[in-house]
Amino acid sequence: MSAVMTAAVMNQTARLTLEKRPVPAAGAGDVLVKVAYVGVCGSDMALFENGYIGDSVVTAPMVLGHEASGVVVALGGGVTSLAVGDRVALEPGVPCGACDFCREGLYNLCPEVFFWASLPATEGALQEYVRHPAAWCHRLPDSVSLLEGALIEPLSVGFHAVRQAGPGVGDRALVLGAGCVGLLTTLTLRAAGVRDVMVADLMPNRLELAEGLGGHPLDADGLDRLDKEVAAAPSAAPRYVFETAGNAVTMDRAISLCRPGGTVSFVGYTKSGRADLNVNLLIDKELTVRTVFRYRGCYPPAIAAVASGAIPADRVVSNVFPFDQAQAAIEHAIRAKANVTKCVIAVDPEWEIQA
Ligand SMILES: [Zn+2]
Ligand SMILES: [Zn+2]
């Protein structure tokens, strides 16, 4: 194996440069993974476009990407859970394992977590090789492709959202926003036996895709009609509403559209971090509010659901770019929002053929 690899490094805002870096060595407990696919996430787009997220500013060269799959090419000391040649989905957050939150099983809330390409961490997956703890590399069964492997990360967000809310078989749900996470939430709800999953978005092709995935599409007019239906017959309103658009207006709408006694889940971040919400209505309806910060314990069941065919996660992929066009991939994801549900960068798709 060559000791030098290529990494897509952001040295300045909105500019990725392919640079040579030494291939990392796998330390004790780690594996070295040849990266196959990396999904472009909203957080990558924000860091690329603005050079900051919220109060965190990029001040050092950064490698973007946290939605990755690959193939194990070397084992560090003591690793017995994986073998060279295993295809894996990499869980990008490595918690400390020792704090109160970790010990309570709330590892996504660990204050010491290292999470790829999330400031202050400037290390991400958009490079040919990554070193990662074996414990956070999840083996993919043969029926899950490496492309699907890169989608386990955003799927886990949808999984966590659905598990946190806890809808049952035959329930009625509304998903606000048909971007990647909205669509993967839709697929998870359908797989969980939710009877009627309404999906609202303003962009027609996203709605078309949502319909193809078993959702009931609602455009702006459809949402207005639902408003009237809910006002006339509150018990017919969706019992579970998932806001995935990260929009203050739809967050407020989630409250007004939810069935009294139901559950509203806030999944998306707003740009400003603020939203003006009708809290009196929230109280009057006795709604339960759930929130989702990344996920915990979702990779294994999400992989199993994809393996079984219950969740065709790769259907949300709209574009696959080669590694040498990583810059174009992120620019496209930002500029062509109406047509993009998920851009994926094929760092080394050869492995798909060999697998
Ligand atoms: Zn992501
Ligand atoms: Zn911890």
Side-chain angles (χ1 to χ4, degrees):
M1 188 197 313
S2 89
V4 178
M5 66 167 177
T6 305
V9 184
M10 188 172 81
N11 289 305
Q12 53 173 295
T13 306
R15 173 87 11 220
L16 299 187
T17 313
L18 296 179
E19 288 181 7
K20 295 293 176 195
R21 286 187 168 188
V23 174
D30 294 336
V31 289
L32 184 66
V33 173
K34 181 94 168 68
V35 177
Y37 290 95
V38 178
V40 177
C41 183
S43 67
D44 297 315
M45 292 185 239
L47 288 164
F48 177 89
E49 196 176 15
N50 309 320
Y52 66 86
I53 287 187
D55 299 330
S56 308
V57 181
V58 182
T59 55
M62 182 160 195
V63 176
L64 298 172
H66 61 260
E67 303 177 356
S69 64
V71 177
V72 174
V73 291
L75 306 178
V79 174
T80 55
S81 59
L82 291 169
V84 169
D86 279 348
R87 298 149 68 253
V88 291
L90 297 103
E91 190 165 344
V94 179
C96 80
C99 72
D100 287 341
F101 299 100
C102 282
R103 288 185 301 164
E104 287 166 28
L106 303 173
Y107 72 78
N108 57 324
L109 306 181
C110 171
E112 301 298 325
V113 68
F114 167 87
F115 195 99
W116 274 339
S118 80
L119 299 169
T122 54
E123 199 60 25
L126 261 182
Q127 44 191 335
E128 287 183 290
Y129 295 89
V130 288
R131 169 182 46 201
H132 207 58
W136 299 100
C137 295
H138 303 270
R139 192 190 289 110
L140 299 173
D142 291 345
S143 56
V144 179
S145 70
L146 282 164
L147 179 63
E148 288 167 324
L151 296 166
I152 301 300
E153 203 276 345
L155 175 58
S156 291
V157 176
F159 239 79
H160 190 42
V162 172
R163 284 175 148 195
Q164 289 277 82
V169 173
D171 268 325
R172 193 171 195 221
L174 168 64
V175 177
L176 296 167
C180 176
V181 168
L183 293 170
L184 291 170
T185 302
T186 301
L187 282 171
T188 307
L189 287 164
R190 294 291 296 154
V194 175
R195 169 178 54 104
D196 182 11
V197 184
M198 295 174 283
V199 187
D201 202 287
L202 297 176
M203 297 176 189
N205 54 337
R206 289 184 175 201
L207 286 180
E208 212 171 287
L209 184 50
E211 188 168 23
L213 300 179
H216 179 95
L218 294 180
D219 58 10
D221 292 343
L223 211 50
D224 287 342
R225 275 197 302 279
L226 182 64
D227 257 336
K228 289 190 188 102
E229 275 170 44
V230 167
S235 67
R239 199 186 290 267
Y240 295 89
V241 181
F242 298 84
E243 203 288 333
T244 70
N247 179 306
V249 174
T250 42
M251 285 177 86
D252 201 43
R253 207 119 190 233
I255 295 170
S256 63
L257 289 168
C258 191
R259 189 182 202 265
T263 298
V264 166
S265 299
F266 294 133
V267 185
Y269 270 143
T270 68
K271 200 169 179 203
S272 70
R274 308 241 150 216
D276 188 13
L277 301 179
N278 188 339
V279 289
N280 287 358
L281 186 58
L282 191 66
I283 292 168
D284 289 348
K285 289 177 141 186
E286 270 198 353
L287 299 184
T288 299
V289 175
R290 301 306 309 241
T291 58
V292 172
F293 181 66
R294 297 172 183 160
Y295 38 76
R296 53 178 174 266
C298 290
Y299 265 61
I303 290 169
V306 173
S308 73
I311 296 186
D314 55 353
R315 300 243 339 245
V316 308
V317 174
S318 52
N319 311 78
V320 180
F321 284 81
F323 188 32
D324 59 5
Q325 289 176 33
Q327 166 91 22
I330 301 182
E331 285 176 351
H332 185 73
I334 292 168
R335 294 210 190 111
K337 263 193 184 116
N339 297 310
V340 172
T341 44
K342 191 71 186 176
C343 257
V344 177
I345 297 167
V347 178
D348 185 358
E350 292 297 307
W351 285 102
E352 195 80 283
I353 299 153
Q354 292 175 23

